[in-house]
């Protein structure tokens, strides 16, 4: 899997790349399928409910049944919708969500490509999904869908800025935008991980990431109580499934990025635990971040749109800026 994107293109390397890409897609789809299941079980446990129990043993096939139901449902397109943009929007949302995974390293040897601009690559591609959401809302020719799309554009642009700026301090400390090199710079031992010296950036990053994912308490683009499900209200069947799929693929990506940027990637928290394979540590940290996202959805109420925008511009952005200046000052004083 090492540097697959930078090898000379031959029939053999293309076949290997295609095989790894398909395998990764299947793994991500498997994660999405059972992330939904475990989210429902975790939220049920936190709210004193059972969650899925009936379909399959212990309800394990409930999400599979839901996916099959979406695939066989009638694909409807409103008569007055912009047909071409309506069809294109789910693909514009999904494709970047999967493409960002190419820049994330999972172990010291397991990654698609060691991009020198990995952080910039992630930020640029994740922003493209905003276009798909706005197009989906506008092309539906539905005022609620349009409001959901416009809310999403305002929200994602507002929170993309502190999200990227929160990683600037790490880039300054590591001297690189290569995500693999950032992990290598941290090394073994949790006291070396970036979340300690960059604790403010870590908090800003997590909050902005939740907003970027359009998840509770920042799920305003899909506020069912006032927008009847928002930008995808006119979508059905597999096109609706693409929007949901993209949300959970981005959850996979953001959890992996958090693990790599702040939590030491594949490194053990203590040197004496280094005999455990790095992929195990990566998965444990990754699962902890995913659990945190589930926990927030189970416990936090949805905020208002004015609270959401004010918090992004008046709190997160100044904190991210202050963190950059403090990091620069400390680096200058102790270099």
């Amino acid at each position: 899997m090492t540097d697959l994107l930078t090898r000379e293109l031959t029939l053999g390397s293309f076949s290997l790349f295609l095989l790894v890409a398909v395998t990764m897609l299947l793994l991500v789809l498997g994660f999405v399928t059972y992330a939904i299941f475990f989210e429902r079980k975790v939220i049920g446990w936190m709210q004193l409910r059972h969650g899925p129990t009936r379909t399959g043993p212990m309800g394990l096939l409930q999400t599979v049944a839901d996916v099959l139901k979406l695939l066989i449902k009638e694909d409807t397109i409103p008569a007055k919708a912009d047909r071409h943009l309506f069809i294109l929007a789910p693909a514009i949302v999904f494709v970047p969500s999967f493409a960002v995974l190419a820049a994330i390293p999972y172990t010291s040897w397991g990654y698609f490509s060691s991009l020198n601009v990995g952080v910039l690559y992630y930020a640029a591609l994740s922003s493209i999904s905003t276009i798909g959401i706005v197009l989906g809302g506008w092309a539906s020719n539905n005022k609620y869908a349009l409001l959901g799309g416009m809310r999403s554009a305002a929200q994602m642009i507002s929170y993309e800025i502190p999200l990227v700026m929160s990683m600037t301090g790490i880039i300054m400390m590591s001297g690189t935008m290569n995500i693999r090199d950032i992990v290598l710079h941290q090394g073994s031992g949790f006291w070396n991980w970036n979340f300690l010296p960059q604790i403010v950036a870590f908090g800003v990053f997590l909050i902005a990431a939740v907003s970027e994912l359009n998840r509770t308490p920042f799920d305003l683009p899909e506020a069912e109580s006032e927008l009847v499900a928002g930008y995808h209200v006119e979508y059905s069947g597999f096109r609706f499934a693409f929007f949901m799929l993209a949300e959970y693929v981005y959850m996979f990506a953001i959890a992996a990025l958090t693990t790599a940027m702040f939590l030491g990637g594949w490194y053990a928290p203590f040197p004496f635990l280094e005999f455990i394979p790095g992929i195990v540590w990566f998965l444990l940290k990754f699962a902890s971040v995913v659990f945190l996202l589930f926990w927030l959805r189970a416990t936090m109420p949805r905020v208002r749109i004015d609270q959401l925008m004010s918090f992004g511009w008046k709190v997160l952005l100044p904190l991210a800026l202050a963190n950059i200046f403090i990091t620069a000052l400390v680096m200058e004083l102790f270099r």
Side-chain angles (χ1 to χ4, degrees), residues 134-148:
V134 173
L135 279 180
W138 183 82
S140 297
N141 195 29
N142 178 301
K143 62 182 179 182
Y144 296 109
L146 179 60
L147 282 173

Side-chain angles (χ1 to χ4, degrees), residues 93-156:
V93 172
F94 171 72
V95 172
S97 72
F98 185 70
V100 296
L101 302 180
I104 297 175
Y106 306 98
T107 65
S108 58
W109 50 267
Y111 53 91
F112 276 94
S113 183
S114 184
L115 295 174
N116 290 329
V117 290
V119 175
L120 189 61
Y121 172 86
Y122 182 95
L125 279 182
S126 62
S127 302
I128 295 176
S129 61
T130 307
I131 300 173
I133 290 175
V134 173
L135 279 180
W138 183 82
S140 297
N141 195 29
N142 178 301
K143 62 182 179 182
Y144 296 109
L146 179 60
L147 282 173
M150 296 307 294
R151 275 188 176 184
S152 182
Q155 173 178 331
M156 296 181 78

Side-chain angles (χ1 to χ4, degrees), residues 255 259 263 282-294:
T259 300
L263 303 179
F282 188 94
L283 290 175
L284 286 173
K285 298 170 189 177
F286 172 87
S288 300
V289 176
V290 172
F291 178 80
L292 176 63
L293 295 174
F294 293 169

Side-chain angles (χ1 to χ4, degrees), residues 307-318:
Q307 294 171 329
L308 173 81
M309 300 304 291
S310 295
F311 187 68
W313 289 107
K314 296 180 180 179
V315 179
L316 292 189
L317 183 59

Side-chain angles (χ1 to χ4, degrees), residues 119 163-186 192-203 205 257-264 320 323-324 327-328 331:
V119 175
L163 180 75
V164 175
M165 293 180 67
S166 66
M167 296 187 283
T168 304
I170 294 176
I171 294 170
M172 293 165 63
M173 292 171 55
S174 305
T176 179
M177 286 197 289
N178 186 312
I179 300 176
R180 180 172 178 271
D181 289 345
I182 289 173
V183 178
L184 293 173
H185 184 265
Q186 294 173 80
N192 295 320
W193 297 350
N194 287 327
F195 82 94
L196 286 175
Q198 292 286 314
I199 189 65
V200 173
F202 184 51
F205 180 88
L257 185 65
T258 305
T259 300
M261 295 290 290
F262 291 95
L263 303 179
N323 180 73
I324 293 173
T327 301
M331 289 179 64

Side-chain angles (χ1 to χ4, degrees), residues 48-253:
L48 299 180
R49 298 183 287 104
H50 292 293
T53 57
R54 295 180 178 273
T55 310
M58 299 183 293
L60 285 170
L61 297 179
Q62 181 61 58
T63 307
V64 177
D66 291 340
V67 171
L68 290 175
K69 178 186 72 174
L70 286 173
L71 292 177
I72 62 177
K73 283 186 72 173
E74 181 183 4
D75 176 32
T76 59
I77 299 178
K80 294 187 177 181
D82 188 319
R83 185 179 182 87
H84 298 296
L85 293 181
F86 187 89
I87 293 172
L88 185 62
I92 294 177
V93 172
F94 171 72
V95 172
S97 72
F98 185 70
V100 296
L101 302 180
I104 297 175
Y106 306 98
T107 65
S108 58
W109 50 267
Y111 53 91
F112 276 94
S113 183
S114 184
L115 295 174
N116 290 329
V117 290
V119 175
L120 189 61
Y121 172 86
Y122 182 95
L125 279 182
S126 62
S127 302
I128 295 176
S129 61
T130 307
I131 300 173
I133 290 175
V134 173
L135 279 180
W138 183 82
S140 297
N141 195 29
N142 178 301
K143 62 182 179 182
Y144 296 109
L146 179 60
L147 282 173
M150 296 307 294
R151 275 188 176 184
S152 182
Q155 173 178 331
M156 296 181 78
I157 291 171
S158 299
Y159 280 81
E160 185 79 23
I161 297 171
L163 180 75
V164 175
M165 293 180 67
S166 66
M167 296 187 283
T168 304
I170 294 176
I171 294 170
M172 293 165 63
M173 292 171 55
S174 305
T176 179
M177 286 197 289
N178 186 312
I179 300 176
R180 180 172 178 271
D181 289 345
I182 289 173
V183 178
L184 293 173
H185 184 265
Q186 294 173 80
S188 187
F190 75 92
W191 53 86
N192 295 320
W193 297 350
N194 287 327
F195 82 94
L196 286 175
Q198 292 286 314
I199 189 65
V200 173
F202 184 51
V204 172
F205 180 88
L206 283 179
I207 296 170
V210 173
S211 181
E212 281 285 291
L213 292 171
N214 290 334
R215 290 180 60 83
T216 307
F218 304 125
D219 56 338
L220 272 299
E222 305 172 26
E224 292 90 348
S225 58
E226 49 186 311
L227 292 178
V228 203
Y231 61 89
H232 52 56
V233 66
E234 296 289 357
Y235 283 87
S236 64
F238 74 95
R239 300 190 202 282
F240 173 81
F242 262 88
F243 281 117
M244 294 298 100
L245 177 63
E247 177 182 324
Y248 280 88
V249 174
Y250 269 124
M251 183 195 294
F252 180 101

